[in-house]
Amino acid sequence: MNALVRRAVARAGIPCLWRGKCFSSGKEPAESNRVTPMLRHLRYKIKSTGPITVAEYMKEVLTNPAKGYYVHHDMLGEKGDFITSPEISQIFGELLGIWFVSEWMTSGKSPAFQLVELGPGRGTLTGDILRVFSQLGSVLKTCDISIHLVEVSQKLSEIQAQVLTEEKLPVERDAESLVYMKGVTKSGIPVSWYRDLKDVPKGYSFYLAHEFFDVLPVHKFQKTPQGWREVLVDIDPQVSDKLRFVLAPCATPAEAFIQHDERRDHVEVCPDAGIIIQELSQRIASTGGAALIADYGHDGTKTDTFRGFCGHQLHDVLTAPGTADLTADVDFSYLRRMVQGKVASLGPVEQRTFLKNMGIDVRLKVLLDKADEPSTKRQLLQGYDMLMNPQKMGERFNFFALLPHQRLHGANQERNARQSKTPASSVPGFDDLVWQ
């Protein structure tokens, strides 16, 4: 937002109403409404420049180098603020590992590939995938594999290194180096850490983004009689230690991301997601591979999805900033538009459909048969229910994939169709898994 707009908003910020209510959610317990270091930082920033966009608010709260939530917290697991699918069941990561191996085989068994994960959490998902790679060593023995992790949190990168290499890795001290940490996994595969996708070497790669896009900053817009108006974050004039939402009094630059035929009266747009999707599409179109994206999301139907999580509970997004995770559902229709025809896109499909197509029921039975302890069986069944139950993660999470056009409509389609009962265009997860 330019300075002129900021000053106008500072003078005439309009209190923001949504569904007849103020955006900020009512009353919070006194202890949660404390003045955090991040709140002090944001108050100073807003007093200096005027109200900020929701995207700028998210970016500051989550990734500010000095006070950001992701930079200094281990927010995952039972002791954190949320639990992800890899933390719930090993089956999840194993099936994703099978997906990558299947795509590698279908696409011609390249002599080398990079596995690139965006926002790897605690490293659990990559660890489960690597276990599959080891179990399929006879298939992958001639393939040169390397792991590349894109992670901005120093705290999480240290945990990932411990999980994947079982040793504390030295941080790369050269500020000019694109790789800030590197080592070798327990199975002997080289692993490197980067702060940005653009720093990862280009080449035949499989990209994985699990619960990555939902934390990228979003701009929020409300339709008014005067047209679209961006939702901004301001200081509450009645309570100086409290933040509130207001509407910009005039158009703002991010409005350009709204579709001309948009029918919803409230939308969230994520320019950063578009930039990353374009980068992934360009890489896959140029050097091959695929991208698999799994996240909370919708196909251009939802409106207000911006929310916070603290201690596994919903948390007011404007209260005690810096102490809770902030997230917004991914708009997969927007991701599909940002592909711009460079590659083919599949999905979104619900997580329960994807995992069922990948054979989760068969894998669960194998693990249950091997389990001796009743507690282990109970844990496996509880994990399965969490992943597949429509009321839990089964319908809330979706899978979305990017693939080269020739993967679905290539010159070898007729030959492959003659050799297998599975058509060349069949993609595991989005269709039933059948090993070639």
Side-chain angles (χ1 to χ4, degrees), residues 58-284:
M58 287 184 72
K59 187 174 181 179
E60 285 289 337
V61 171
L62 297 179
T63 60
N64 179 284
K67 306 176 183 68
Y69 174 78
Y70 286 148
V71 177
H72 301 290
H73 287 75
D74 172 16
M75 69 296 295
L76 298 169
E78 293 183 5
K79 295 181 180 179
D81 294 322
F82 57 91
I83 298 178
T84 61
S85 297
E87 308 294 329
I88 291 171
S89 174
Q90 69 181 72
I91 303 177
F92 184 85
E94 290 173 348
L95 295 180
L96 267 56
I98 290 172
W99 191 88
F100 289 119
V101 174
S102 174
E103 281 305 296
W104 172 75
M105 294 173 67
T106 302
S107 300
K109 298 184 179 180
S110 171
F113 72 76
Q114 300 181 149
L115 176 63
V116 183
E117 185 175 4
L118 310 181
R122 297 175 61 89
T124 305
L125 183 52
T126 293
D128 289 339
I129 290 172
L130 288 177
R131 186 170 61 253
V132 170
F133 288 177
S134 294
Q135 293 169 346
L136 295 176
S138 60
V139 177
L140 294 166
K141 62 184 178 182
T142 60
C143 186
D144 184 15
I145 301 172
S146 58
I147 307 299
H148 304 262
L149 306 178
V150 179
E151 179 60 72
V152 297
S153 169
Q154 186 60 48
K155 176 71 173 177
L156 283 179
S157 64
E158 291 170 359
I159 295 172
Q160 294 155 14
Q162 183 66 33
V163 169
L164 298 174
T165 71
E166 292 186 336
E167 62 182 27
K168 186 175 176 63
L169 298 177
V171 176
E172 177 61 60
R173 300 297 177 186
D174 183 0
E176 301 300 318
S177 176
L178 300 180
V179 179
Y180 70 86
M181 202 159 65
K182 56 186 175 182
V184 178
T185 70
K186 290 173 281 190
S187 55
I189 296 176
V191 55
S192 302
W193 280 260
Y194 310 79
R195 293 181 180 86
D196 195 295
L197 172 61
K198 292 180 180 178
D199 297 336
V200 177
K202 293 182 179 179
Y204 186 85
S205 303
F206 292 112
Y207 300 92
L208 174 61
H210 177 262
E211 287 199 56
F212 171 78
F213 282 91
D214 69 308
V215 299
L216 296 178
V218 297
H219 292 265
K220 291 174 71 68
F221 289 89
Q222 172 70 37
K223 186 177 287 185
T224 74
Q226 293 74 40
W228 289 104
R229 291 294 181 263
E230 184 160 9
V231 178
L232 307 174
V233 177
D234 193 9
I235 299 169
D236 191 326
Q238 305 301 320
V239 186
S240 62
D241 289 339
K242 188 176 180 182
L243 300 174
R244 66 168 185 167
F245 288 111
V246 298
L247 288 180
C250 54
T252 53
E255 186 181 325
F257 291 96
I258 300 176
Q259 290 289 99
H260 295 301
D261 58 351
E262 180 59 65
R263 295 183 178 181
R264 291 171 289 176
D265 58 5
H266 187 91
V267 294
E268 297 165 336
V269 294
C270 184
D272 286 1
I275 292 170
I276 292 170
I277 285 293
Q278 289 176 344
E279 173 76 12
L280 290 173
S281 300
Q282 184 61 50
R283 285 171 172 247
I284 293 169

